[in-house]
Amino acid sequence: MSRRGLMLFVAMCVVWGLPYLLIRISVATISPVFLVFARTAIGALLLLPVATARGEVRVVATRWRWLLAYSVIEIALPWVLLSDAETRITSSLSGLLVAAVPLVGVILVSASGRGGALGRTQVAGLLVGLGGVLAVLGLDLGSLSPLAALEMAVVVVCYSLGPQVLARRLSDLPGLGVVAASLGVCAVAYFPFAVLTAPTVVPDHSVLLAIGILGVVCTAGAFILFFQLIAEVGPIRATVVTYVNPAVAVLLGVMILHERFTLGIGAGFALILTGSILASRTSRSRRPPPLPRVVVPDG
């Protein structure tokens, strides 16, 4: 990997590991719905003009049904559920649970028949990863409410299913156009709900800063960086970011918000990460499913 590629990779790990911390800070004062609206609106305002000038939005609009489906599955639903879950659980725990996305993704690909039968390594990886999830649920059960657990489960499934919708129905479309249009659709959909749940007083400057960073850096800027990373190191290496950003989320939560680093988090992360790597491996006799051109950040 070149020096530029390494720098882009490190930047992406930080940028996509940061949202969990910023969400936790924001939802202490504003509603999850208002936060998702603000984040998507900022991202859309920054990316839509660029995508429109390139003619990419017009191209994407021809596939509007699948674009709507992708927007709901990958952004609208998981972002609001993740934000609501973080009103009840720590940013560290939410970031760790999202680390199970590659495991669920492997299961969904195999179930669809597009990935072929799972080999022994993949099965072992799934079992190890499942053990990690059970470690989190068992050792940190007191920190995880039933509602938050259900919300995080839906988030993980959505994040696993979204890239498959993208790969099968939208992969031939320009990536920036898909992202910009999806953010715009979600911002418009959430606008009336954001008006109803808007804060009655101006939030603290730390919350405003968190919202701004979420929209500018972790949404709009992250996609630009990710496209550059794909161009520099290729799509396969670029997706390794998804294995690292949960660790960044845990680290930031412990260091900045002084969240407890529990035995469940430590053991669970090690097992989930190991399981994800093993489960995502493809044997030489099996052809991997096509990778999507766009991956929405976990968080």
Side-chain angles (χ1 to χ4, degrees):
M1 184 181 295
S2 65
R3 177 178 297 180
R4 183 173 184 272
L6 180 60
M7 292 177 62
L8 287 170
F9 179 82
V10 172
M12 283 306 310
C13 291
V14 174
V15 168
W16 277 355
L18 189 58
Y20 306 95
L21 168 70
L22 300 176
I23 290 172
R24 178 69 174 174
I25 293 173
S26 301
V27 295
T29 303
I30 64 175
S31 71
V33 170
F34 187 85
L35 175 61
V36 174
F37 163 73
R39 181 180 179 183
T40 54
I42 293 172
L45 287 173
L46 292 175
L47 295 181
L48 272 175
V50 179
T52 302
R54 295 180 178 181
E56 297 183 2
V57 174
R58 184 174 63 255
V59 175
V60 170
T62 62
R63 212 82 56 83
W64 64 270
R65 290 183 179 85
W66 284 109
L67 178 70
L68 287 177
Y70 172 75
S71 300
V72 171
I73 294 171
E74 189 67 45
I75 299 177
L77 184 58
W79 282 14
V80 76
L81 290 179
L82 174 62
S83 299
D84 190 65
E86 287 209 30
T87 64
R88 301 174 179 85
I89 61 175
T90 64
S91 64
S92 303
L93 186 54
S94 65
L96 174 59
L97 292 174
V98 170
V101 167
L103 297 173
V104 178
V106 170
I107 294 174
L108 292 177
V109 170
S110 178
S112 69
R114 298 176 66 242
L118 295 177
R120 285 178 295 181
T121 301
Q122 289 76 34
V123 172
L126 290 174
L127 293 176
V128 171
L130 178 61
V133 174
L134 293 177
V136 175
L137 297 178
L139 297 176
D140 281 341
L141 190 58
S143 304
L144 186 62
S145 70
L147 178 57
L150 177 60
E151 288 176 323
M152 291 306 301
V154 176
V155 169
V156 169
V157 172
C158 285
Y159 278 160
S160 305
L161 184 60
Q164 296 187 44
V165 174
L166 181 66
R168 298 183 65 177
R169 302 295 180 178
L170 302 171
S171 62
D172 59 320
L173 300 180
L176 182 61
V178 172
V179 171
S182 295
L183 291 173
V185 166
C186 293
V188 171
Y190 272 113
F191 175 72
F193 303 101
V195 171
L196 294 175
T197 60
T200 55
V201 297
V202 178
D204 184 79
H205 70 277
S206 61
V207 176
L208 294 176
L209 180 61
I211 295 172
I213 295 175
L214 269 173
V216 176
V217 178
C218 300
T219 304
F223 284 114
I224 295 174
L225 283 175
F226 192 65
F227 294 146
Q228 293 181 8
L229 179 63
I230 290 176
E232 184 71 23
V233 304
I236 295 178
R237 284 187 176 182
T239 56
V240 177
V241 171
T242 59
Y243 299 130
V244 181
N245 58 37
V248 175
V250 172
L251 181 62
L252 291 174
V254 171
M255 292 180 59
I256 298 179
L257 297 181
H258 307 292
E259 297 173 349
R260 293 175 58 241
F261 186 83
T262 65
L263 177 61
I265 288 178
F269 177 74
L271 291 173
I272 292 174
L273 178 62
T274 301
S276 295
I277 294 174
L278 292 175
S280 300
R281 283 186 175 181
T282 305
S283 63
R284 295 180 179 179
S285 61
R286 295 171 62 232
R287 180 176 297 179
L291 287 169
R293 293 172 59 184
V294 182
V295 177
V296 169
D298 299 331

